[in-house]
């Protein structure tokens, strides 16, 4: 674990002094980060662990607490990882839980909040590589109100899977940006494309 220092974490850097501090830890792969407009709570999409089953462990969306610990590598969603069954069990009592599960092995990478209209978090799921059936390859929308999620993730942008049986896809969403006029930009690194989604005038 000495080799894991500063990893599986979110670091905060003071741009004036260059000083660094550990903001939150136990986050296996917190890639996309954003703030709900009008709030100071940092949210992240976390790409969770592999090799313990098709449906374990779910990727997730979480409002990050400064100083919080979220489980990696010892536990996930409040359950002990069987590969670390006898290690640091005392951490379970203080481990913080995710807010919204967004599918196991879906590779939740991108995250951005709507800057117009109903409060919504958009999560780009890059797609599974080690699951018996495909998961991800899409963008989900998670409804929010007063800075908190209020419902289950819903499909927002789909159609990237060409043939699930053959394992072929048209593209893989990896990153998201939103614009004040309501437009949503989705980076598809497999399709070498940036998609713009917006309402028709």
């Amino acid at each position: 674990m000495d080799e894991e220092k500063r990893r599986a974490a979110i670091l905060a850097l003071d741009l004036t002094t260059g000083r660094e501090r550990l903001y939150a830890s136990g986050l296996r792969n917190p890639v996309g980060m954003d703030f709900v407009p009008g709030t100071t709570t940092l949210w992240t999409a976390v790409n969770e662990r592999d090799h313990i089953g098709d449906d374990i462990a779910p990727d997730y969306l979480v409002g990050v607490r400064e100083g919080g610990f979220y489980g990696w590598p010892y536990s996930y969603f409040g359950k002990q990882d069987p590969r670390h069954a006898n290690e640091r069990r005392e951490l379970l009592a203080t481990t913080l839980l995710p807010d919204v599960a967004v599918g196991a092995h879906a590779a939740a990478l991108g995250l951005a909040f709507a800057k117009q209209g109903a409060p919504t978090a958009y999560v780009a799921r890059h797609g599974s590589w080690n699951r018996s059936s495909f998961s991800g390859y899409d963008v989900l929308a998670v409804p929010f109100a007063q800075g908190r999620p209020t419902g289950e993730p819903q499909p927002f942008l789909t159609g990237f899977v060409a043939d699930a049986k053959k394992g072929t896809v048209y593209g893989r969403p990896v990153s998201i940006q939103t614009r004040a006029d309501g437009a949503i930009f989705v980076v598809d690194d497999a399709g070498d494309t940036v998609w713009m989604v917006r309402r028709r005038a």
Side-chain angles (χ1 to χ4, degrees), residues 69 71-75 80 87-96:
F69 176 73
W72 171 264
Y74 307 107
S75 64
Q80 197 83 20
E87 301 174 44
R88 305 299 307 273
R89 296 186 67 87
E90 75 280 4
L91 288 175
L92 280 176
T94 57
T95 298
L96 300 174

Side-chain angles (χ1 to χ4, degrees), residues 25-37:
S25 61
L27 297 153
R28 189 236 181 199
N29 198 355
V31 183
M33 289 183 271
D34 199 6
F35 293 90
V36 179

Side-chain angles (χ1 to χ4, degrees), residues 1-189:
M1 289 306 294
D2 285 343
E3 295 178 4
E4 294 297 314
K5 288 179 180 177
R6 297 179 68 254
R7 300 179 66 182
I10 295 174
L11 306 176
L13 182 68
D14 187 315
L15 297 180
T16 302
T17 65
R19 291 175 182 164
E20 175 189 285
R21 74 180 192 278
L22 185 66
Y23 188 82
S25 61
L27 297 153
R28 189 236 181 199
N29 198 355
V31 183
M33 289 183 271
D34 199 6
F35 293 90
V36 179
T39 79
T40 58
T41 301
L42 177 67
W43 287 79
T44 185
V46 176
N47 184 9
E48 254 287 2
R49 65 201 72 199
D50 299 309
H51 306 302
I52 49 177
D54 266 9
D55 299 312
I56 303 173
D59 296 347
Y60 60 84
L61 184 65
V62 65
V64 182
R65 296 188 200 172
E66 186 169 0
F69 176 73
Y70 290 86
W72 171 264
Y74 307 107
S75 64
Y76 58 90
F77 274 81
K79 299 177 181 178
Q80 197 83 20
D81 187 313
R83 298 166 298 188
H84 298 275
N86 298 311
E87 301 174 44
R88 305 299 307 273
R89 296 186 67 87
E90 75 280 4
L91 288 175
L92 280 176
T94 57
T95 298
L96 300 174
L97 298 180
D99 290 285
V100 180
V102 293
H105 309 296
L109 300 181
L111 170 66
F113 284 93
K115 293 182 173 64
Q116 185 188 80
T120 305
Y122 296 102
V123 180
R125 302 196 304 169
H126 198 229
S128 56
W129 61 269
N130 64 343
R131 196 171 185 274
S132 61
S133 59
F134 271 8
S135 176
Y137 302 95
D138 58 12
V139 176
L140 299 180
V142 181
F144 269 65
Q146 298 181 337
R148 300 291 306 170
T150 58
E152 294 297 314
Q154 300 296 321
F156 175 76
L157 183 62
T158 61
F160 290 96
V161 176
D163 190 324
K165 291 183 179 179
K166 293 181 179 179
T168 57
V169 298
Y170 298 115
R172 304 183 74 181
V174 68
S175 180
I176 299 182
Q177 293 291 325
T178 57
R179 202 165 64 183
D181 65 358
I184 300 163
F185 296 88
V186 178
V187 177
D188 164 9
D189 63 353

